[in-house]
Amino acid sequence: MSRDRTGWMPGVLMILAGGMALAFAWWVERGLGITPCELCLLERWPWRILIVAGVAAAVLPGALRRVFLWCGVLLMLGSIGLAVCHAGVEWGWWPSPLPACHAPHVTGRTMAERLASMPVRPQKPCDWPTYLVPGVPVSMAVIGGLYALVVLVGLLGSLRSGQRQTRRIFR
């Protein structure tokens, strides 16, 4: 008999949370036509990995399930860290750690050489925040960080409730 009573539901919620985050980012990019910057693209990776960890947490039994739930906690901490980094870049507190977030470096003596050295797809600088609601100064990076915080609290709550249930069984 397994000691863990967390159940498969937190894994399913991890899958749904990751899917909703990626679907929202896809809608903003494709539906609203807003180009993401390099930090925005990097911020999607924890959510992709969260989906995989959620599948493992939903399928695996007992202690292995808890390992993947704790991986979800670490992924959400990483997502919050990326959101704080991105918000700091947007607010001008520090420069972007990614070289692609800066203005392109165009080289060449002739106009043809300069045009050839330009990037194929124009990139959005990371210090240009994207505000979805006009007049509300909450950028996509801040929204992503707040959402990751909510998911983190939910994961910690499910880990704690599973631990309480285990204690009740063994008393």
Side-chain angles (χ1 to χ4, degrees):
M1 184 169 144
S2 173
R3 290 182 175 203
D4 181 40
R5 298 285 174 220
T6 309
W8 53 269
M9 187 57 87
V12 172
L13 293 176
M14 288 168 62
I15 296 167
L16 290 174
M20 285 176 47
L22 293 174
F24 184 73
W26 181 84
W27 174 73
V28 168
E29 182 178 347
R30 305 293 170 141
L32 298 179
I34 297 173
T35 304
C37 69
E38 289 297 316
L39 277 173
C40 293
L41 297 175
L42 183 63
E43 285 180 87
R44 295 178 188 177
W45 278 103
W47 298 105
R48 291 178 178 127
I49 301 169
L50 184 73
I51 292 171
V52 174
V55 169
V59 173
L60 295 174
L64 289 175
R65 175 177 293 139
R66 289 184 68 81
V67 167
F68 283 98
L69 290 175
W70 280 108
C71 286
V73 168
L74 293 176
L75 286 166
M76 291 301 92
L77 288 172
S79 181
I80 292 168
L82 287 171
V84 167
C85 175
H86 196 173
V89 169
E90 289 177 347
W91 296 332
W93 291 351
W94 47 73
S96 173
L98 300 177
C101 289
H102 305 290
H105 183 66
V106 180
T107 60
R109 291 184 183 176
T110 67
M111 184 55 87
E113 290 172 345
R114 289 181 181 173
L115 287 174
S117 71
M118 291 178 71
V120 177
R121 187 179 121 183
Q123 295 180 348
K124 178 184 170 199
C126 294
D127 58 355
W128 289 2
T130 299
Y131 300 114
L132 293 181
V133 181
V136 179
V138 179
S139 69
M140 282 285 295
V142 174
I143 290 171
L146 292 174
Y147 181 60
L149 182 64
V150 168
V151 173
L152 174 66
V153 168
L155 281 172
L156 290 173
S158 68
L159 282 164
R160 185 169 180 189
S161 70
Q163 193 176 34
R164 271 189 265 134
Q165 288 176 359
T166 303
R167 281 191 209 136
R168 265 189 249 135
I169 290 171
F170 289 104
R171 280 191 195 172

